[in-house]
Amino acid sequence: MPPTTPSDETSPSFADLGLRPELLRALADLGYEEPTPIQRAAIPPLRAGRDLLGQAATGTGKTAAFALPLLDRLPIGAGPGPLALVLVPTRELAIQVSEAMHRYGRQLHARVLPIYGGQPIGRQLRALAGGVDVVVATPGRALDHIGRGTLRLGSVGAVVLDEADEMLDLGFAEDIDAILSATPSGRQTVLFSATLPARIARIARQHLTDPVRVELERESVSAGTAPLVAQRAFLVARAHKAAALGRVLDIEAPAAAIVFCRTREEVDALAETLNGRGYRAEALHGGMNQEQRDRVMTRLRSGTADLVVATDVAARGLDIEALTHVVNYDMPAAAASYVHRIGRVGRAGREGVAITLVEPREHRMLRGIERLTGQRIHIEQIPTIADLRARRLETTRAGLQEAVLSGDLDQFRVVVETLADDYDVMEIALAAVKLAYEASGAAEEEEIPAAPVVERAAPVVERAAPVVERAAPARRGQARSARAPVRVAGRPGGGARGGSGLESGSTQGRSRLFVGLGRDAGINPSDLVGAITGESGLSGRDIGAIEIADRFSLVELPAASIDDVVKALRNATIRGRRPRARRERERG
Ligand code: AMP
């Protein structure tokens, strides 16, 4: 069957998708206004019990795309369970997905349990024994529990493989096969993956029955319709987004901007934050009545407000002639909606600017947008405190210049003249500038840490190397010393070497970078790949073998790039810490 390509034209509501009232209430409480394209495409077949093979990256709303129909369809709370098993590659994702399912299933009192390596097993055992509806697990830990008999899969009616390509890259293929064979054969199986290479097709062939296919990346805009707008992106962790936006706006000083958020809650919260920063920001969302919305529009048109913070739904049909900037505070859920959003500026030959804040995990979506529009989006540094000071000084200078030019200063002359008896006129001028500068600005801020791109570590082909980045205890006879270095083989093109340990130095044309953070600091391969590709001009392909020991890590890179990477990493943080980085010293 040909894959479905969700379109942005028709927009049924969550209620139109047939979801039960408890779920609709939960979604309204969360401030979701309408389903994202992947949700529109995936929810109906999944509610009908079909298997599904979906291509979707983080940021598209894929979690709700599988979570909502499962919560809708399965008899939540009916027995000890579990009714659904969601497999994810990392503990972070296990926590994130289980929190999301918990929020969606709140009104149904769904019991959702994350289980992952590194968490005390006792707590997991107690929770499993008490009965659960949904288990969200990393494959290693799930297998441990299956082996111990503490995770019984007899009542599982649905299995989700989330970020399947990443699970394969982390070497979980066999574990996934083993887990799936332990589940009832009549179960529903859902596979989501950012990419659909042959290895994913194999899993799909083996474990999915007549799946519906949903692809997001097939969208295209016809040539010439992509708007000509200066596009900039900033990579920033979720926790720092509001502060980062404040800074970007301070530097950009837009005359009239629309800032897009995903939910009503975010719209209200961000409008408040921006008002606190001195902007005249208005909230606009689908929860407001027509009168309120008209008032907002009048304020924006008349210049009484500088910014409108809006959801996509509320902004639909909104036509503001004077808009100079479109800001994607939240990444749009599909590349096509990015094009719709930014099409609001840069019309009729006017110059417009589009600014996008990208969370590290959403990096892949940005690439999807670039493919769709055929335009490169440059990732820029979030303005630093020094940039903000420079901008404030410039504003102060411009203000003083204006005051000099406008004249009418005579009433202040006496102040300068009396001070000039005791002080140099230059000193007096400097003090006046200082006062003007201090009066112009907000409180001092803290530096926002650079966020590394979270891209997958160089993939490991067919478990050629011992990739054991799992905190699960040694199992099935694979006694690995708890403190043995973790190794990840590089891609063939990335100069992967045979299974040498930490002993060897550089190979031809390649050297190793020493990074003074290791397993003790919670470092994993994707942290290193993310920091290096995020901070330097290298791509994931340039990165070879990665070895992680307790206190340090070694990363194989093109020899000529090491000095640049060392320099680039000086401003980076990895897992909240500043890495010490240098070329690996050769040992004799
Ligand atoms: P995901 O791609 O599943 O990681 O979701 C990305 C983000 O979008 C999460 O913060 C979700 O809470 C949010 N989200 C998912 N679906 C919707 C929706 N229909 N409307 C607004 N926000 C959504």
Side-chain angles (χ1 to χ4, degrees), residues 484-531:
V486 173
R487 283 182 223 135
V488 177
R491 299 165 188 269
R497 282 175 287 111
S500 63
L502 289 170
E503 68 284 356
S504 83
S506 57
T507 53
Q508 211 190 14
R510 301 182 71 81
S511 301
R512 291 205 293 180
L513 174 77
F514 170 96
V515 180
L517 293 172
R519 196 170 21 229
D520 287 351
I523 296 298
N524 62 41
S526 54
D527 293 329
L528 294 164
V529 175

mmCIF file of all heavy atoms in Angstrom, residues 484-531:
data_model
loop_
_atom_site.group_PDB
_atom_site.id
_atom_site.type_symbol
_atom_site.label_atom_id
_atom_site.label_comp_id
_atom_site.label_asym_id
_atom_site.label_seq_id
_atom_site.Cartn_x
_atom_site.Cartn_y
_atom_site.Cartn_z
ATOM 1 N N ALA A 484 34.523 -1.339 32.787
ATOM 2 C CA ALA A 484 35.294 -1.462 31.541
ATOM 3 C C ALA A 484 34.893 -0.343 30.593
ATOM 4 O O ALA A 484 33.762 0.114 30.616
ATOM 5 C CB ALA A 484 35.000 -2.802 30.901
ATOM 6 N N PRO A 485 35.838 0.116 29.760
ATOM 7 C CA PRO A 485 35.467 1.198 28.872
ATOM 8 C C PRO A 485 34.403 0.782 27.866
ATOM 9 O O PRO A 485 34.398 -0.342 27.401
ATOM 10 C CB PRO A 485 36.769 1.562 28.162
ATOM 11 C CG PRO A 485 37.667 0.405 28.356
ATOM 12 C CD PRO A 485 37.211 -0.317 29.578
ATOM 13 N N VAL A 486 33.514 1.714 27.564
ATOM 14 C CA VAL A 486 32.506 1.473 26.534
ATOM 15 C C VAL A 486 33.124 1.852 25.212
ATOM 16 O O VAL A 486 33.756 2.886 25.100
ATOM 17 C CB VAL A 486 31.298 2.388 26.783
ATOM 18 C CG1 VAL A 486 30.337 2.274 25.619
ATOM 19 C CG2 VAL A 486 30.623 2.017 28.084
ATOM 20 N N ARG A 487 32.974 1.052 24.209
ATOM 21 C CA ARG A 487 33.513 1.401 22.903
ATOM 22 C C ARG A 487 32.411 1.455 21.882
ATOM 23 O O ARG A 487 31.538 0.604 21.868
ATOM 24 C CB ARG A 487 34.514 0.344 22.443
ATOM 25 C CG ARG A 487 35.823 0.491 23.129
ATOM 26 C CD ARG A 487 36.749 -0.560 22.591
ATOM 27 N NE ARG A 487 37.451 -1.091 23.729
ATOM 28 C CZ ARG A 487 37.647 -2.373 23.931
ATOM 29 N NH1 ARG A 487 37.202 -3.250 23.077
ATOM 30 N NH2 ARG A 487 38.286 -2.768 24.977
ATOM 31 N N VAL A 488 32.479 2.406 21.045
ATOM 32 C CA VAL A 488 31.540 2.467 19.944
ATOM 33 C C VAL A 488 32.338 2.514 18.668
ATOM 34 O O VAL A 488 33.191 3.374 18.504
ATOM 35 C CB VAL A 488 30.661 3.730 20.045
ATOM 36 C CG1 VAL A 488 29.752 3.817 18.847
ATOM 37 C CG2 VAL A 488 29.838 3.688 21.318
ATOM 38 N N ALA A 489 32.087 1.575 17.795
ATOM 39 C CA ALA A 489 32.837 1.584 16.548
ATOM 40 C C ALA A 489 32.353 2.709 15.668
ATOM 41 O O ALA A 489 31.181 3.053 15.680
ATOM 42 C CB ALA A 489 32.620 0.260 15.817
ATOM 43 N N GLY A 490 33.275 3.290 14.924
ATOM 44 C CA GLY A 490 32.873 4.349 14.011
ATOM 45 C C GLY A 490 32.344 3.762 12.721
ATOM 46 O O GLY A 490 32.378 2.559 12.509
ATOM 47 N N ARG A 491 31.805 4.655 11.869
ATOM 48 C CA ARG A 491 31.375 4.187 10.557
ATOM 49 C C ARG A 491 32.594 3.789 9.761
ATOM 50 O O ARG A 491 33.651 4.343 9.969
ATOM 51 C CB ARG A 491 30.784 5.345 9.754
ATOM 52 C CG ARG A 491 29.612 5.980 10.318
ATOM 53 C CD ARG A 491 29.453 7.279 9.582
ATOM 54 N NE ARG A 491 28.415 8.063 10.199
ATOM 55 C CZ ARG A 491 27.153 7.998 9.839
ATOM 56 N NH1 ARG A 491 26.786 7.247 8.857
ATOM 57 N NH2 ARG A 491 26.253 8.715 10.443
ATOM 58 N N PRO A 492 32.413 2.925 8.785
ATOM 59 C CA PRO A 492 33.556 2.584 7.951
ATOM 60 C C PRO A 492 34.189 3.842 7.366
ATOM 61 O O PRO A 492 35.377 4.049 7.427
ATOM 62 C CB PRO A 492 32.963 1.702 6.872
ATOM 63 C CG PRO A 492 31.705 1.149 7.466
ATOM 64 C CD PRO A 492 31.221 2.171 8.442
ATOM 65 N N GLY A 493 33.370 4.753 6.861
ATOM 66 C CA GLY A 493 33.892 5.987 6.271
ATOM 67 C C GLY A 493 34.501 6.889 7.315
ATOM 68 O O GLY A 493 35.234 7.810 7.021
ATOM 69 N N GLY A 494 34.185 6.659 8.546
ATOM 70 C CA GLY A 494 34.687 7.510 9.619
ATOM 71 C C GLY A 494 35.959 6.959 10.206
ATOM 72 O O GLY A 494 36.407 7.411 11.248
ATOM 73 N N GLY A 495 36.536 5.976 9.573
ATOM 74 C CA GLY A 495 37.840 5.493 10.016
ATOM 75 C C GLY A 495 37.754 4.526 11.183
ATOM 76 O O GLY A 495 38.612 4.527 12.045
ATOM 77 N N ALA A 496 36.724 3.716 11.239
ATOM 78 C CA ALA A 496 36.627 2.761 12.336
ATOM 79 C C ALA A 496 37.784 1.786 12.281
ATOM 80 O O ALA A 496 38.210 1.365 11.224
ATOM 81 C CB ALA A 496 35.314 1.994 12.226
ATOM 82 N N ARG A 497 38.270 1.465 13.450
ATOM 83 C CA ARG A 497 39.343 0.484 13.489
ATOM 84 C C ARG A 497 38.802 -0.805 14.058
ATOM 85 O O ARG A 497 37.755 -0.824 14.665
ATOM 86 C CB ARG A 497 40.462 0.982 14.384
ATOM 87 C CG ARG A 497 41.317 2.003 13.708
ATOM 88 C CD ARG A 497 42.320 2.557 14.674
ATOM 89 N NE ARG A 497 41.690 3.440 15.623
ATOM 90 C CZ ARG A 497 41.547 3.165 16.900
ATOM 91 N NH1 ARG A 497 41.961 2.024 17.381
ATOM 92 N NH2 ARG A 497 40.980 4.010 17.704
ATOM 93 N N GLY A 498 39.600 -1.862 13.858
ATOM 94 C CA GLY A 498 39.221 -3.131 14.457
ATOM 95 C C GLY A 498 39.207 -2.961 15.963
ATOM 96 O O GLY A 498 39.631 -1.951 16.475
ATOM 97 N N GLY A 499 38.770 -3.971 16.650
ATOM 98 C CA GLY A 499 38.477 -3.827 18.081
ATOM 99 C C GLY A 499 39.647 -3.537 18.996
ATOM 100 O O GLY A 499 39.823 -4.220 19.985
ATOM 101 N N SER A 500 40.457 -2.549 18.684
ATOM 102 C CA SER A 500 41.536 -2.209 19.597
ATOM 103 C C SER A 500 40.967 -1.517 20.814
ATOM 104 O O SER A 500 39.920 -0.910 20.777
ATOM 105 C CB SER A 500 42.545 -1.308 18.907
ATOM 106 O OG SER A 500 41.921 -0.110 18.550
ATOM 107 N N GLY A 501 41.688 -1.582 21.895
ATOM 108 C CA GLY A 501 41.193 -0.979 23.125
ATOM 109 C C GLY A 501 41.703 0.429 23.269
ATOM 110 O O GLY A 501 41.880 1.141 22.299
ATOM 111 N N LEU A 502 41.970 0.829 24.487
ATOM 112 C CA LEU A 502 42.429 2.183 24.724
ATOM 113 C C LEU A 502 43.908 2.328 24.423
ATOM 114 O O LEU A 502 44.480 3.370 24.600
ATOM 115 C CB LEU A 502 42.180 2.561 26.188
ATOM 116 C CG LEU A 502 40.718 2.769 26.575
ATOM 117 C CD1 LEU A 502 40.582 2.883 28.073
ATOM 118 C CD2 LEU A 502 40.170 3.998 25.898
ATOM 119 N N GLU A 503 44.543 1.221 24.011
ATOM 120 C CA GLU A 503 46.001 1.250 23.941
ATOM 121 C C GLU A 503 46.566 1.959 22.710
ATOM 122 O O GLU A 503 47.627 2.547 22.776
ATOM 123 C CB GLU A 503 46.581 -0.178 24.025
ATOM 124 C CG GLU A 503 46.307 -1.088 22.828
ATOM 125 C CD GLU A 503 44.889 -1.628 22.772
ATOM 126 O OE1 GLU A 503 44.098 -1.373 23.687
ATOM 127 O OE2 GLU A 503 44.564 -2.304 21.788
ATOM 128 N N SER A 504 45.831 1.968 21.614
ATOM 129 C CA SER A 504 46.494 2.466 20.415
ATOM 130 C C SER A 504 46.372 3.966 20.256
ATOM 131 O O SER A 504 45.451 4.589 20.746
ATOM 132 C CB SER A 504 45.930 1.771 19.183
ATOM 133 O OG SER A 504 44.754 2.409 18.802
ATOM 134 N N GLY A 505 47.285 4.558 19.565
ATOM 135 C CA GLY A 505 47.281 5.991 19.386
ATOM 136 C C GLY A 505 46.606 6.362 18.093
ATOM 137 O O GLY A 505 45.513 5.911 17.791
ATOM 138 N N SER A 506 47.251 7.177 17.254
ATOM 139 C CA SER A 506 46.582 7.640 16.053
ATOM 140 C C SER A 506 46.783 6.664 14.903
ATOM 141 O O SER A 506 47.752 5.951 14.832
ATOM 142 C CB SER A 506 47.128 8.998 15.671
ATOM 143 O OG SER A 506 48.514 8.894 15.502
ATOM 144 N N THR A 507 45.805 6.623 14.002
ATOM 145 C CA THR A 507 45.976 5.864 12.779
ATOM 146 C C THR A 507 46.194 6.879 11.671
ATOM 147 O O THR A 507 46.102 8.061 11.894
ATOM 148 C CB THR A 507 44.728 5.020 12.480
ATOM 149 O OG1 THR A 507 43.615 5.889 12.492
ATOM 150 C CG2 THR A 507 44.543 3.920 13.478
ATOM 151 N N GLN A 508 46.427 6.381 10.480
ATOM 152 C CA GLN A 508 46.794 7.271 9.391
ATOM 153 C C GLN A 508 45.789 8.400 9.184
ATOM 154 O O GLN A 508 44.602 8.161 8.983
ATOM 155 C CB GLN A 508 46.879 6.457 8.114
ATOM 156 C CG GLN A 508 47.899 7.031 7.186
ATOM 157 C CD GLN A 508 47.786 6.361 5.839
ATOM 158 O OE1 GLN A 508 46.826 5.688 5.543
ATOM 159 N NE2 GLN A 508 48.779 6.584 5.014
ATOM 160 N N GLY A 509 46.277 9.641 9.274
ATOM 161 C CA GLY A 509 45.415 10.785 9.015
ATOM 162 C C GLY A 509 44.392 11.052 10.102
ATOM 163 O O GLY A 509 43.583 11.943 9.969
ATOM 164 N N ARG A 510 44.416 10.253 11.116
ATOM 165 C CA ARG A 510 43.434 10.454 12.178
ATOM 166 C C ARG A 510 44.127 10.466 13.520
ATOM 167 O O ARG A 510 45.130 9.787 13.706
ATOM 168 C CB ARG A 510 42.381 9.340 12.140
ATOM 169 C CG ARG A 510 41.651 9.298 10.810
ATOM 170 C CD ARG A 510 40.587 8.244 10.779
ATOM 171 N NE ARG A 510 39.440 8.575 11.623
ATOM 172 C CZ ARG A 510 38.462 9.400 11.253
ATOM 173 N NH1 ARG A 510 38.502 9.981 10.092
ATOM 174 N NH2 ARG A 510 37.462 9.644 12.054
ATOM 175 N N SER A 511 43.622 11.258 14.422
ATOM 176 C CA SER A 511 44.185 11.295 15.767
ATOM 177 C C SER A 511 43.045 11.190 16.741
ATOM 178 O O SER A 511 41.887 11.236 16.350
ATOM 179 C CB SER A 511 44.900 12.617 16.033
ATOM 180 O OG SER A 511 45.915 12.807 15.131
ATOM 181 N N ARG A 512 43.429 11.104 18.013
ATOM 182 C CA ARG A 512 42.352 11.003 18.987
ATOM 183 C C ARG A 512 42.310 12.236 19.874
ATOM 184 O O ARG A 512 43.332 12.795 20.271
ATOM 185 C CB ARG A 512 42.511 9.736 19.798
ATOM 186 C CG ARG A 512 42.243 8.540 18.877
ATOM 187 C CD ARG A 512 41.803 7.342 19.605
ATOM 188 N NE ARG A 512 42.866 6.811 20.435
ATOM 189 C CZ ARG A 512 42.705 5.727 21.180
ATOM 190 N NH1 ARG A 512 41.563 5.096 21.210
ATOM 191 N NH2 ARG A 512 43.703 5.277 21.903
ATOM 192 N N LEU A 513 41.100 12.616 20.149
ATOM 193 C CA LEU A 513 40.844 13.756 21.007
ATOM 194 C C LEU A 513 40.619 13.199 22.409
ATOM 195 O O LEU A 513 39.843 12.263 22.597
ATOM 196 C CB LEU A 513 39.574 14.469 20.524
ATOM 197 C CG LEU A 513 39.079 15.611 21.400
ATOM 198 C CD1 LEU A 513 39.936 16.845 21.154
ATOM 199 C CD2 LEU A 513 37.619 15.920 21.088
ATOM 200 N N PHE A 514 41.306 13.794 23.377
ATOM 201 C CA PHE A 514 41.090 13.414 24.769
ATOM 202 C C PHE A 514 40.089 14.396 25.362
ATOM 203 O O PHE A 514 40.247 15.609 25.253
ATOM 204 C CB PHE A 514 42.424 13.494 25.515
ATOM 205 C CG PHE A 514 42.291 13.363 27.006
ATOM 206 C CD1 PHE A 514 42.469 12.135 27.625
ATOM 207 C CD2 PHE A 514 41.981 14.473 27.796
ATOM 208 C CE1 PHE A 514 42.333 12.020 29.005
ATOM 209 C CE2 PHE A 514 41.846 14.350 29.178
ATOM 210 C CZ PHE A 514 42.025 13.129 29.786
ATOM 211 N N VAL A 515 39.036 13.882 25.973
ATOM 212 C CA VAL A 515 38.056 14.747 26.643
ATOM 213 C C VAL A 515 38.011 14.319 28.108
ATOM 214 O O VAL A 515 37.818 13.143 28.400
ATOM 215 C CB VAL A 515 36.654 14.597 26.014
ATOM 216 C CG1 VAL A 515 35.651 15.488 26.718
ATOM 217 C CG2 VAL A 515 36.683 14.923 24.532
ATOM 218 N N GLY A 516 38.224 15.266 29.001
ATOM 219 C CA GLY A 516 38.367 14.917 30.419
ATOM 220 C C GLY A 516 37.055 14.648 31.139
ATOM 221 O O GLY A 516 36.890 14.971 32.312
ATOM 222 N N LEU A 517 36.108 14.063 30.461
ATOM 223 C CA LEU A 517 34.842 13.660 31.091
ATOM 224 C C LEU A 517 34.548 12.241 30.628
ATOM 225 O O LEU A 517 34.708 11.930 29.448
ATOM 226 C CB LEU A 517 33.686 14.562 30.645
ATOM 227 C CG LEU A 517 33.703 16.022 31.090
ATOM 228 C CD1 LEU A 517 32.592 16.791 30.401
ATOM 229 C CD2 LEU A 517 33.541 16.117 32.598
ATOM 230 N N GLY A 518 34.121 11.417 31.551
ATOM 231 C CA GLY A 518 33.848 10.034 31.172
ATOM 232 C C GLY A 518 32.589 9.526 31.818
ATOM 233 O O GLY A 518 31.684 10.305 32.122
ATOM 234 N N ARG A 519 32.582 8.225 32.059
ATOM 235 C CA ARG A 519 31.350 7.622 32.564
ATOM 236 C C ARG A 519 30.949 8.188 33.920
ATOM 237 O O ARG A 519 29.766 8.306 34.231
ATOM 238 C CB ARG A 519 31.543 6.108 32.663
ATOM 239 C CG ARG A 519 30.249 5.380 32.787
ATOM 240 C CD ARG A 519 30.389 3.884 32.652
ATOM 241 N NE ARG A 519 31.742 3.464 32.920
ATOM 242 C CZ ARG A 519 32.441 2.657 32.137
ATOM 243 N NH1 ARG A 519 31.909 2.189 31.047
ATOM 244 N NH2 ARG A 519 33.675 2.323 32.445
ATOM 245 N N ASP A 520 31.958 8.566 34.730
ATOM 246 C CA ASP A 520 31.618 9.126 36.041
ATOM 247 C C ASP A 520 30.769 10.380 35.897
ATOM 248 O O ASP A 520 30.006 10.733 36.795
ATOM 249 C CB ASP A 520 32.889 9.473 36.831
ATOM 250 C CG ASP A 520 33.584 8.206 37.325
ATOM 251 O OD1 ASP A 520 32.977 7.119 37.189
ATOM 252 O OD2 ASP A 520 34.713 8.306 37.829
ATOM 253 N N ALA A 521 30.935 11.072 34.771
ATOM 254 C CA ALA A 521 30.153 12.294 34.550
ATOM 255 C C ALA A 521 28.882 11.984 33.767
ATOM 256 O O ALA A 521 28.176 12.886 33.327
ATOM 257 C CB ALA A 521 31.004 13.321 33.800
ATOM 258 N N GLY A 522 28.594 10.694 33.560
ATOM 259 C CA GLY A 522 27.362 10.307 32.868
ATOM 260 C C GLY A 522 27.424 10.490 31.357
ATOM 261 O O GLY A 522 26.401 10.570 30.688
ATOM 262 N N ILE A 523 28.651 10.559 30.832
ATOM 263 C CA ILE A 523 28.799 10.825 29.400
ATOM 264 C C ILE A 523 28.438 9.601 28.560
ATOM 265 O O ILE A 523 28.814 8.480 28.907
ATOM 266 C CB ILE A 523 30.286 11.189 29.111
ATOM 267 C CG1 ILE A 523 30.643 12.473 29.836
ATOM 268 C CG2 ILE A 523 30.585 11.289 27.630
ATOM 269 C CD1 ILE A 523 29.852 13.667 29.415
ATOM 270 N N ASN A 524 27.728 9.786 27.489
ATOM 271 C CA ASN A 524 27.538 8.695 26.542
ATOM 272 C C ASN A 524 27.983 9.142 25.147
ATOM 273 O O ASN A 524 28.230 10.327 24.935
ATOM 274 C CB ASN A 524 26.110 8.141 26.589
ATOM 275 C CG ASN A 524 25.103 9.186 26.205
ATOM 276 O OD1 ASN A 524 25.342 9.954 25.276
ATOM 277 N ND2 ASN A 524 23.991 9.230 26.907
ATOM 278 N N PRO A 525 28.090 8.201 24.213
ATOM 279 C CA PRO A 525 28.663 8.571 22.914
ATOM 280 C C PRO A 525 27.930 9.721 22.232
ATOM 281 O O PRO A 525 28.544 10.599 21.634
ATOM 282 C CB PRO A 525 28.542 7.284 22.092
ATOM 283 C CG PRO A 525 28.525 6.193 23.107
ATOM 284 C CD PRO A 525 27.835 6.748 24.302
ATOM 285 N N SER A 526 26.588 9.740 22.368
ATOM 286 C CA SER A 526 25.894 10.798 21.632
ATOM 287 C C SER A 526 26.182 12.176 22.224
ATOM 288 O O SER A 526 26.126 13.183 21.528
ATOM 289 C CB SER A 526 24.404 10.519 21.548
ATOM 290 O OG SER A 526 23.894 10.312 22.825
ATOM 291 N N ASP A 527 26.520 12.249 23.538
ATOM 292 C CA ASP A 527 26.912 13.545 24.110
ATOM 293 C C ASP A 527 28.150 14.067 23.386
ATOM 294 O O ASP A 527 28.266 15.246 23.068
ATOM 295 C CB ASP A 527 27.278 13.412 25.596
ATOM 296 C CG ASP A 527 26.067 13.044 26.440
ATOM 297 O OD1 ASP A 527 24.958 13.441 26.073
ATOM 298 O OD2 ASP A 527 26.260 12.346 27.459
ATOM 299 N N LEU A 528 29.108 13.139 23.164
ATOM 300 C CA LEU A 528 30.378 13.564 22.553
ATOM 301 C C LEU A 528 30.164 13.947 21.094
ATOM 302 O O LEU A 528 30.619 14.993 20.641
ATOM 303 C CB LEU A 528 31.406 12.424 22.661
ATOM 304 C CG LEU A 528 31.815 12.108 24.114
ATOM 305 C CD1 LEU A 528 32.498 10.767 24.197
ATOM 306 C CD2 LEU A 528 32.732 13.200 24.663
ATOM 307 N N VAL A 529 29.422 13.097 20.383
ATOM 308 C CA VAL A 529 29.160 13.400 18.968
ATOM 309 C C VAL A 529 28.415 14.735 18.874
ATOM 310 O O VAL A 529 28.744 15.603 18.064
ATOM 311 C CB VAL A 529 28.323 12.275 18.311
ATOM 312 C CG1 VAL A 529 27.958 12.650 16.884
ATOM 313 C CG2 VAL A 529 29.106 10.974 18.322
ATOM 314 N N GLY A 530 27.427 14.908 19.744
ATOM 315 C CA GLY A 530 26.628 16.126 19.727
ATOM 316 C C GLY A 530 27.472 17.353 19.988
ATOM 317 O O GLY A 530 27.391 18.355 19.264
ATOM 318 N N ALA A 531 28.333 17.286 21.023
ATOM 319 C CA ALA A 531 29.142 18.458 21.368
ATOM 320 C C ALA A 531 30.116 18.775 20.239
ATOM 321 O O ALA A 531 30.285 19.933 19.846
ATOM 322 C CB ALA A 531 29.891 18.198 22.668
#
